[in-house]
Each structure stands twice: as structure tokens, then as C-alpha cells.
Amino acid sequence: MKTIKILWSLTFLFLSGRTIALGQDTTSAGTSSFLPDSLQGTVITAKEIDRLPQRGLDAVLEIQPAIIVQDGDMHILGGRDDETGFYLNGLPIIDPFSNTSFLHIIPEAIEQIDIFTTGYSTRFGGANSGLVNTRLKTGGKRHHFSVDYQTDKFAAAGKKFLNTYSYRDQIISATAGGPLYFPNLRFFIALENEEIGDTQKRFSKGFRIDNLNSSATLNPDSIDRLTYPDGFTSNNSSKRWAGNATLLYKGKHTRSQLNFLFDRQKLYEDNQPMLHILNDRHQYLVNQNWFISGQFEHQLTKYLHYRFDAGISRKHSERYDDYFGNDWRKWSDSLAVARHTDGRVQYRNGWRSEYDYYVNGFRFERNGTLNNPWYFKQNQQAFFGRFETQATLGRHQIQLGMDARSYTMRNYEINTIGMMQYSYRYGLDELIPDYLLRENIGSQNFGYDAFGYPIEWGFNGPKKPFFASVYLEDRIIHKNAIFTFGLRYDYFDTDDNVLLNPGYPSVNHGEGELTGDAWKNKKPTRALQPRFGVTLFNNSGSQLYFTYGKYVQPPKSSLYYFNSNEYAKQIVSWGQLYLNPIGFNLDVVRSTSVIIGFKKEFLNSFSLNVNVFHKLSQGLPQTETNQPSGPGDDYSLYYRRLVNSDFSEIKGLNLSLLTKRKKRLQARFDYTYQNAKGTGSNSVSHLIAEYRHVVTSIKAHPLDYAVAHKGTVNLDYRFARNDGGSLLEQLGINLLFRFNSGHPFTRDSIPSPG
């Protein structure tokens, strides 16, 4: 049995208005003279983005062929959510901890999105399944200004307007650009204020309960009424401010560009909102990121160019409390809470809140309860650079380049309730025993000591991965064919560690820790990746293309960046189930892909693009049980760890059909058939089986996020410039229809007891 999911999108679900002033020449791509990044790929322009009835980079990506979005995670060409590379103007915007993009790009600032399901140039690496390169707008020849306003705030939370619930969303964006003092110096700037009142947007039925019979252990007070709105998820909201800007200078033989991006998001997340409706105190995340880059390109001769790119970025996330912000020592301090609320909230002891209300069998938190006691902060800083040169020698266009990026990463998490308890007991931080401190810090603390102060050295010091590459590509252009030969060499220093004897490590059983000489640094990984492509074409507009490539990337570092305490706990404390098993000495993941396709334009009426693909990935991380190899049968060394043991195989077909605009109507149809199988869908797919000592199958099976059939139909009816009169000129309506099959599952029957 399978389900069919059908989604409709229309532009008029939101009130949306836009004003453009001072000329219609709004932007210029500022295109570089370097080779395109791939012979084959999907290109989404600013005009196409503007016409879609949904907003945002993620919304654009999820309707593209071979891209599946499930539970907020994006899977390209059947890969895991951490196998996609994200770039901005050719430079990486990747967070190594998750191998996803950390930067918010304002949709109105996007000039073009290049989407590659492999088959891309050797100048890109660290992405096995696909790559997304976003290009920012630059100022045009004339000044422009625009404002865009969207909202659904026509009804209160839980109320309907035009037979749909209001989610309290509101988005305001503004752009400006044009020449700056000189015709060849141009600027572009975009600002955005985005408020999402309900980030979950799920179907739910509210409730109202009167005449309550409420009680709480040791607390006899009561409440009169409980209410929860229809169709709205409380305590799940997002507020974001963002700015994107470019400055472009174009000389006779040079081109220079500066890019600046900034965003700050305040995010509330609550997975039990109905049980927290009486509590006005919540915790929220603040995500703050910025990115600065520069590019200089010089044309030395007609046949020789070079380009240099450099940049710096910073990512910071931190959890705050409605009462005390990031002063986590007060979060669970009963005296501080009482003072903050003028005595309205009283705790039952020095660090524990009052007992929950118990209403008709359900527990509802009291006002002032700390529902998330874990304080969290993460800092990441990156430097990156690239130099490349291109020479044209007859039919050959040769590109040679090198790039490098380095990171400094810190992570910290602590249980504020446990720390408050021990502060009461011992009085001073210095008097709290180490084993109690270890019980209350996060499993992936590094770069900070137990109390959140930065440290620079040692096993638990900051992580400093470093990646570099050298690449060469030769594009040979013939009358009816283009051949591309490329070779990429990657150097990955992940700053990982190696346990010298995983089967029988050196353990101090008295302290429950691994000894200091149990570890050594992991050696960097080096990898060669050949890539080849050919495109054959004729005068009728037909194209036959083929790409072959090998791709290599390190796993996301959240799989192997643990502190010494967590390694000791999971290795020494055998027999327990840890949902986040440790990893160390993880190798890179390797994939090989082949794409064969055909393009043709028919009767100057529509174009067809169809291709078949095959991708094999090996060395994906998976959970296995470590087998002791020392003297005797030491059961304390049976622990679960991540190793490079999974593989996946994806094959399928993409089909795209695009019509020419006739009588103001243009249509596009995209369809993907995909058969995605593997031995595991994520790194913990075998965790429970390993814990229960069940033999895991090495036979490939459908992946959890596999979707066999996916398609979109997009219809755009639009008046052109100087068409329809002053009232209808450039007015349009866009209809997006999506469909896909359901996810695979295994039917199981449980016999009745007895």
C-alpha cells in the first residue's frame, strides 16, 4: 500500500504587494568570464523565483527534479541529508558539524541558483550527491528600489480567514541598487524582516475545558479553565532580521566584487505545546551568522584569466531563557526566579519548580517552570580562499586552481538544574567533584571547560578541521561535441582521533576513564577524483550528454566530535543504550555516479530533457558493536560505535518538459522516478538491532526517505512589458501542482497474546 501526496500552491493565499521605482533595470548578474560549473544542471533565474507561488530558497529547491525534502531534511539524488554541498558565488557556506548550509539568503537577493545532481566541475568538492550554488544580485545600470510585503494576519491565532487558519506570518523585504558615484561601480542591498508565527503548521484541534477538577501533589491550588486554539501550534515561532549586500566594480580588464550577508534569528521550539499552555516561560535559540567575501578577476590577455576569492564567516547559536537570557546559572535558582516574578513563582526547593497541575489524567506545567534545562552555545569561525587560472589554447579551455578552508569550532551544553543542585550542596564551583560535573555537561562539549569558559588546548579543546584541494579541468570544444576531462585532489584533515586499540583500549577502571595514552591524532585523508563529460549536438538542436565522476566527502563532524567524558562513558559503561553512539577514526565517504541524457527542442514550441542516472555510495557511517580483542572475555568493552560500513545505490530517471510562452501562458512539467536502496538510511539505522544483538542484514532495502515517483506541474500566465495596458502590464498568476508517491514500509503482524 502506498499513499499519494498532492499539494496545491497559489500566490493569493497571502496578501502580497510590491513597488518598484526609479527604473526597471533592477539588477545585473555581473557574470564572470570563467567556465560554467557544469555542462548539465538546473538553472533557476531570479525571474523564475519571483514568479513561484512560494517563497524561499528551500521552497525553490524542494520542487526540483531528484530532490526530496522529508522532515525538513533535503536529499538530492537519494543521498543522505549531509551529502549536499552549498556554495555562495562559488565559495562554501557549509557547517562541517552538520554538512548543511548555515547561512540565510534573502530570496529577493538571488540572481541565479545552479543545482547539480553530480556531474559538476572539479572546482567543487566535498559533496557526493549534489551541489547548490547561489549567485547574488549586483546593481544594474539604473537605480531601483522595491518593497515586498506578505502577511496572513487577518485573523487571530486559531481563527479562520477565507476558510483557512492564520499562522501569524508576516514578511517584509526591501531592495535597492544601481550605480554608486561611477557607472562601473554598482551596489545592491536587500533587507528582510521575517516573522513566522507557527513554524510547525500542522493540523490540530484545539480544546476548552471548564469546571476543572485539578490537583497537584503537595499543592492544592487549582485553575478554572484550559484553552488551546484550533489549527495553531503555540510556542513554535521564528523572528529573523537579515541583510545581503554586494558591491561590484567592473574595469576594462578587471572585475572586483565584495559580498556581505548577515542574519539573526530568534527561534522558539516546543514539542509539547499543549502541556505548556499555562507556562509563560520558555527557552529559545538565537542563531546569528555573518559572511564576508571578496573576488578579484583579471583578464591578462584574450586567452588568459586568473581569479582570486577569499572570505571569512562566523556562526553563533545560543539558547536563552525568557527570564534570565543567557545567564544560565540563574535558570534553576529558586531565589532568582522569585525575585524576577516578584514572588509570583515559588519553587518547592532551591532548584526544583512546583509540581505540575494534574488535570483529568494530564500533567500541565505551572507558570515559571523551566521546561528545557539545557543551556547551549556553539561558535564556529571559518576562513577560506581560492585561486584559479584559465587559459584558452586552440580548442582547449584549461582551468587550474586550488582552494583551502579552515575552521575553529566550539560547542557547549550543560544541565542547569543539576548544576544548581550541586552549587547548593557544595557552595563553590571548585568544590564540585569532577564526576558530578561530567554527569551534567553535554556529550559533545569541546572548546570550553565545564563552566563554559573557552579553552585552547587538550583533547577537549576547539576542533580545527582543515580542507584543501588542487584541481585541473580541460574542456575541448569541437564543432559538434564538447569533451571535459577533470581531476581533483582533496586533502581532508578532520581533526578526528584514533583509538589505538579499539578492541582493548587502555582503561582506568577506578576512575571510569580512558587513560591519556589511549588516543592519537587521525592522519589526514587524501583522495583523487577523476571526472569526465561529453556533450554531442547537431544543427537541429538535439543534445546527447554523458557524465561520469567520482566524489569524496568527510562525514559530518557531529558523528565524531565527542568529549573525553562521553568516550569514557560509552566505552567503559557497557550494556547501556546510547542514542547518539560515539564515532572516531571515520574515513571519507566515496561515491561514483553516471548520468546519460538527451535534450531537444521541438518545433520551436517546447523543449525536452530526459536523463537516467546511477549513483553508488560506499563507506557511509553506521552503528556497529565493538568486539573485545584483549585477554579474556571483558564484557565491559562491548560498546557501540560508528564505522564506515554502509552503502547505498540509487538509480532512476528525470524528465523535464518546458513550453515556450504562447498567448501569455507557459507550462513546465518535471517528473522523477527514483529507486533508492541501501543498508541504512542514517548512521543509527542499526542501533537497536546492535543493542539487542540481532544480526543486521547486509542486503539493500528501500531507504526511509525514498520516494519512487515525484513530479510538479507549473503554469504561469503573465502579461509582458507593454502588454495589457497600464493596469495589467507584467501582471501574472502562477499555479504550482505537486504530487509524489508515499514512502516504502514493511507490513508486520503481531500475533495475539496467548
Side-chain angles (χ1 to χ4, degrees), residues 21 336 426 461 600 605 610 672:
Y426 293 97
K600 184 173 178 59
S605 179
V610 58
T672 297

Side-chain angles (χ1 to χ4, degrees), residues 101-274:
S101 172
F102 70 90
L103 203 59
H104 174 74
I105 304 175
I106 300 173
E108 288 76 13
I110 298 175
E111 176 65 26
Q112 182 175 302
I113 305 172
D114 304 318
I115 305 169
F116 306 114
T117 54
T118 68
Y120 40 85
S121 167
T122 54
R123 73 191 301 262
F124 293 115
N128 284 3
S129 285
L131 185 141
V132 178
N133 182 34
T134 305
R135 304 174 189 267
L136 294 180
K137 291 179 178 178
T138 56
K141 296 179 181 179
R142 291 184 288 177
H143 290 97
H144 92 279
F145 173 77
S146 72
V147 176
D148 188 76
Y149 177 76
Q150 302 181 24
T151 186
D152 75 341
K153 290 185 176 181
F154 300 110
K159 303 299 181 181
K160 287 186 175 182
F161 177 79
L162 296 179
N163 203 34
T164 186
Y165 288 107
S166 169
Y167 297 110
R168 314 300 295 159
D169 294 349
Q170 179 174 282
I171 303 170
I172 304 173
S173 65
T175 68
L180 188 66
Y181 300 113
F182 307 101
N184 53 353
L185 181 63
R186 302 175 186 177
F187 79 97
F188 177 85
I189 185 170
L191 300 173
E192 178 189 69
N193 175 231
E194 178 191 71
E195 296 185 13
I196 307 299
D198 181 355
T199 58
Q200 301 301 312
K201 290 182 173 58
R202 55 192 177 192
F203 295 104
S204 64
K205 183 69 175 175
F207 59 82
R208 171 174 169 171
I209 307 176
D210 295 304
N211 303 319
L212 295 175
N213 177 19
S214 61
S215 63
T217 307
L218 303 179
N219 201 318
D221 64 345
S222 62
I223 51 179
D224 298 323
R225 176 183 297 167
L226 283 174
T227 58
Y228 190 84
D230 290 332
F232 187 82
T233 313
S234 303
N235 309 327
N236 286 270
S237 64
S238 169
K239 293 184 178 181
R240 187 198 308 270
W241 280 96
N244 298 173
T246 63
L247 184 65
L248 172 67
Y249 174 80
K250 296 183 70 173
K252 184 177 180 180
H253 299 292
T254 62
R255 179 183 182 277
S256 303
Q257 182 172 327
L258 294 176
N259 310 295
F260 174 77
L261 293 89
F262 170 84
D263 70 271
R264 186 182 190 275
Q265 179 192 33
K266 183 178 181 180
L267 178 66
Y268 283 91
E269 297 177 303
D270 188 347
N271 59 5
Q272 294 181 319
M274 291 185 177

Side-chain angles (χ1 to χ4, degrees), residues 736-748:
L736 177 65
F737 173 74
R738 293 188 285 166
F739 63 91
N740 62 260
S741 57
H743 298 284
F745 70 97
T746 301
R747 185 181 298 278
D748 192 13

